[in-house]
Amino acid sequence: MAERAARRCCLGWDFSTQQVKVVAVDAELSVFYEDSVQFDRDLVEFGTQGGVHVHKDGLTVTSPVLMWVQALDIILEKMKASGFDFSQVLALSGAGQQHGSVYWKTGASQVLTSLSPGLPLREQLQACFSISNCPVWMDSSTAAQCRQLEAAVGGAQALSRLTGSRAYERFTGNQIAKIYQQNPEAYSHTERISLVSSFAASLFLGSYSPVDYSDGSGMNLLQIQDKVWSQACLGACAPRLEEKLGRPVPSCSVVGPISSYFVQRYGFPPGCKVVAFTGDNPASLAGMRLEEGDIAVSLGTSDTLFLWLQEPTPALEGHIFCNPVDPQHYMALLCFKNGSLMREKIRDESASGSWSEFSKALQSTEMGNGGNLGFYFDVMEITPEIIGRHRFSAENREVSAFPREVEIRALIEGQFMAKKIHAEALGYRVMPKTKILATGGASHNRDILQVLADVFGAPVYIIDTANSACVGSAYRAFHGLAAGTDMPFAEIVKLAPDPRLVATPTPGASQVYEALLQRYAMLEQRILSQTRGPPE
Ligand SMILES: O=C(CO)[C@@H](O)[C@H](O)CF
């Protein structure tokens, strides 16, 4: 076989809900290797569905930590068998599904620091966890702990101002509180608690890796302004928690050289640096190379917004995290549950199930839709908590139906006006240099993206985000190599492939939507007050 040319590179890992994935990125920022291990397919002995176990109560959702450990064994063996040259790896970083937590049993650190290169990780770490089935982000069994935490710090808005989010069931502090309350013995036998991200980093480090600021922002425990644990939140969740968490670190930190285990077993260079792992969403922000003022819109089953924020305004909706690539700034995540499933429903009802007909309707109706406005929430919306369909005429009179073309434009304009209004409520502002990066299924429809450009008054680009968390992690590893040089992340990743411009705002769009956005916000409050009483 022809000798492979040496190719210095960084690795980006993603310990996500359904798989462990890795990419290798060279100095020109080209991805030249990728591999994955799917939990359901490749580790059937764990019996997961979608990488998780949904418990009988329908609320508790966990994943076996040894499945994640064994997946790493398997993927490294696959890379070795494929002839991957580990000696070329300069640094690595990674991502993990956010909010999940791993509980290292007392004494585990001695095992982690003295791994035998002759054995796989699974065999050696078998007895190192006090909780075998780790709570993950899909868990919603901690409502009581959420109320206790909010009460302890002065309410939901106070908690949001402190940690970037009101209490959410999936957030780690509430999960730790539940374990302490329901399994105190396991908690007392726990010497370290990691996030999925810092757990994965610990495996490569051969010692406990600290939690990074960005993924730590998803715990309801970290003061996002001061970047320290909130003593009030720690105390409300469980005793002696700070010693189990360790001190959080900036997301761009080099947390140490790779463990000798990987040097001897796989041939990594002894100087290979491990850069702090972070959450999958912060890593995706890095992978999409979002910059100040940019917004990424993932148009999927649910629509997710990634925002880059300088000065956040924590609210009762959405999440503010410390920014993973600029420690002075922040990022925000907003989730809209009625995404593509809602678009497909209106397509079926008003465009005979055809996206081409759907597009024609958008082309044949004017910006502003003659003042007609619609709210389409067939499932309970997260942002804000509204359900049902509500249509209003130009005179703000609620009507029961629209003509089909008007219905289609009302859906799309409404979805994007909601995004702009709630993004601005978190402190986001469109800037002259703002780019909107669109991804996900609906980003293939140019007419939908034209409405997005018009509503936001900013150009829309499309990017391939298939591996955004992995690629973002590899980019962050390169950034870690420049640690101490103050070189900005944007400079490190400037060679990466540029996004493609697809739509620019139609002349006059800002005038049309400035008025419409105000009406949309007023009508949204009207619906909310009708359904849940006046806002807090
Ligand atoms: O809960 C989430 C973010 O808050 C999800 O996006 C998880 O990070 C998915 F792994």
Side-chain angles (χ1 to χ4, degrees):
M1 180 174 71
E3 274 303 302
R4 283 175 189 266
R7 200 165 184 179
R8 313 288 271 165
C9 66
C10 284
L11 297 185
W13 296 87
D14 185 14
F15 284 67
S16 71
T17 312
Q18 303 189 30
Q19 61 183 347
V20 171
K21 198 166 194 177
V22 64
V23 296
V25 174
D26 67 18
E28 286 68 49
L29 299 188
S30 301
V31 176
F32 67 91
Y33 183 93
E34 66 177 86
D35 214 332
S36 66
V37 167
Q38 307 278 335
F39 303 132
D40 294 0
R41 181 193 67 196
D42 302 327
L43 286 156
V44 290
E45 64 269 34
F46 290 96
T48 55
Q49 282 192 321
V52 302
H53 292 126
V54 179
H55 294 217
K56 288 189 178 61
D57 64 6
L59 298 173
T60 303
V61 184
T62 61
S63 291
V65 60
L66 288 175
M67 177 178 76
W68 295 334
V69 171
Q70 192 167 344
L72 182 56
D73 283 329
I74 295 171
I75 200 166
L76 287 165
E77 293 302 327
K78 284 175 76 177
M79 293 174 79
K80 189 174 178 180
S82 76
F84 184 82
D85 185 355
F86 291 101
S87 70
Q88 299 302 306
V89 180
L90 301 169
L92 63 86
S93 188
Q97 53 175 297
Q98 290 193 261
H99 319 302
S101 44
V102 174
Y103 300 78
W104 298 88
K105 191 184 285 184
T106 304
S109 57
Q110 280 77 12
V111 178
L112 200 52
T113 52
S114 56
L115 291 168
S116 159
L119 296 170
L121 293 168
R122 159 91 194 260
E123 201 169 314
Q124 302 185 75
L125 298 178
Q126 187 85 18
C128 287
F129 303 99
S130 48
I131 296 278
S132 307
N133 295 299
C134 301
V136 294
W137 68 278
M138 294 165 67
D139 184 286
S140 54
S141 65
T142 61
Q145 290 74 18
C146 288
R147 299 298 71 82
Q148 290 157 7
L149 177 58
E150 288 181 344
V153 299
Q157 187 59 47
L159 183 63
S160 180
R161 271 196 299 274
L162 199 56
T163 69
S165 299
R166 64 175 171 81
Y168 284 89
E169 285 78 358
R170 67 187 190 278
F171 276 42
T172 322
N174 307 302
Q175 294 291 339
I176 294 169
K178 176 188 166 191
I179 284 173
Y180 167 63
Q181 292 167 12
Q182 297 184 3
N183 196 345
E185 189 177 352
Y187 183 80
S188 67
H189 293 145
T190 299
E191 71 176 8
R192 184 77 177 204
I193 299 173
S194 299
L195 293 176
V196 175
S197 56
S198 55
F199 148 77
S202 302
L203 298 179
F204 286 105
L205 203 53
S207 61
Y208 294 140
S209 171
V211 169
D212 77 297
Y213 292 159
S214 196
D215 205 15
S217 310
M219 302 172 78
N220 276 152
L221 294 175
L222 187 75
Q223 290 182 196
I224 58 168
Q225 295 288 350
D226 306 331
K227 277 90 172 164
V228 295
W229 299 122
S230 156
Q231 293 304 317
C233 293
L234 293 175
C237 290
R240 300 180 306 287
L241 184 46
E242 185 163 16
E243 65 197 54
K244 297 180 194 292
L245 292 173
R247 189 176 51 81
V249 297
S251 304
C252 55
S253 304
V254 175
V255 290
I258 197 166
S259 158
S260 60
Y261 173 81
F262 294 92
V263 175
Q264 292 161 35
R265 187 174 176 87
Y266 296 105
F268 282 88
C272 173
K273 295 183 185 329
V274 178
V275 177
F277 284 32
T278 191
D280 57 346
N281 293 296
S284 288
L285 179 135
M288 292 187 279
R289 296 191 300 151
L290 234 58
E291 296 182 276
E292 190 182 334
D294 288 349
I295 180 170
V297 184
S298 172
L299 298 170
T301 306
S302 60
D303 290 346
T304 305
L305 255 58
F306 293 75
L307 309 169
W308 180 301
L309 296 173
Q310 259 200 326
E311 285 305 325
T313 313
L316 295 179
E317 289 152 358
H319 314 291
I320 306 280
F321 302 138
C322 297
N323 191 292
V325 298
D326 182 331
Q328 307 306 318
H329 289 177
Y330 297 85
M331 69 171 281
L333 206 58
L334 265 175
C335 192
F336 299 83
K337 206 163 189 179
N338 290 273
S340 61
L341 296 181
M342 198 65 241
R343 290 186 285 271
E344 287 160 15
K345 270 190 180 180
I346 299 299
R347 174 204 63 190
D348 294 346
E349 294 168 13
S350 302
S352 316
S354 154
W355 285 119
S356 160
E357 287 303 306
F358 192 96
S359 284
K360 283 180 188 152
L362 289 174
Q363 292 158 13
S364 66
T365 46
E366 292 301 314
M367 288 189 295
N369 211 12
N372 295 298
L373 279 173
F375 299 76
Y376 298 83
F377 305 128
D378 282 11
V379 295
M380 176 54 83
E381 182 48 66
I382 296 172
T383 312
E385 290 182 345
I386 296 177
I387 192 164
R389 298 185 186 187
H390 308 269
R391 301 175 182 84
F392 295 90
S393 69
E395 299 72 35
N396 295 333
R397 193 168 33 81
E398 188 150 10
V399 296
S400 59
F402 282 144
R404 64 182 201 80
E405 296 87 355
V406 173
E407 179 91 323
I408 288 169
R409 178 167 280 274
L411 165 73
I412 300 298
E413 286 189 340
Q415 287 188 329
F416 292 149
M417 285 196 282
K419 288 171 176 62
K420 187 172 187 199
I421 286 165
H422 289 280
E424 290 178 341
L426 288 179
Y428 174 77
R429 294 293 176 272
V430 174
M431 300 164 77
K433 63 172 188 174
T434 287
K435 299 190 300 295
I436 301 175
L437 302 179
T439 181
S443 68
H444 300 127
N445 183 313
R446 196 205 163 286
D447 297 288
I448 289 177
L449 297 186
Q450 184 58 57
V451 177
L452 177 59
D454 291 342
V455 168
F456 273 79
V460 175
Y461 297 75
I462 54 175
I463 48 172
D464 168 21
T465 57
N467 291 331
S468 61
C470 280
V471 171
S473 297
Y475 291 168
R476 291 177 58 251
F478 275 111
H479 192 207
L481 287 176
T485 65
D486 287 340
M487 188 176 287
F489 179 80
E491 186 62 26
I492 296 285
V493 298
K494 65 185 178 188
L495 293 180
D498 284 330
R500 183 161 64 86
L501 177 63
V502 176
T504 55
T506 307
S510 54
Q511 286 79 0
V512 170
Y513 291 108
E514 192 175 334
L516 214 59
L517 281 156
Q518 288 177 17
R519 284 186 54 220
Y520 185 93
M522 178 271 290
L523 290 168
E524 182 185 81
Q525 286 305 315
R526 182 193 296 184
I527 298 167
L528 280 168
S529 57
Q530 285 164 356
T531 50
R532 74 177 185 194
E536 283 186 37

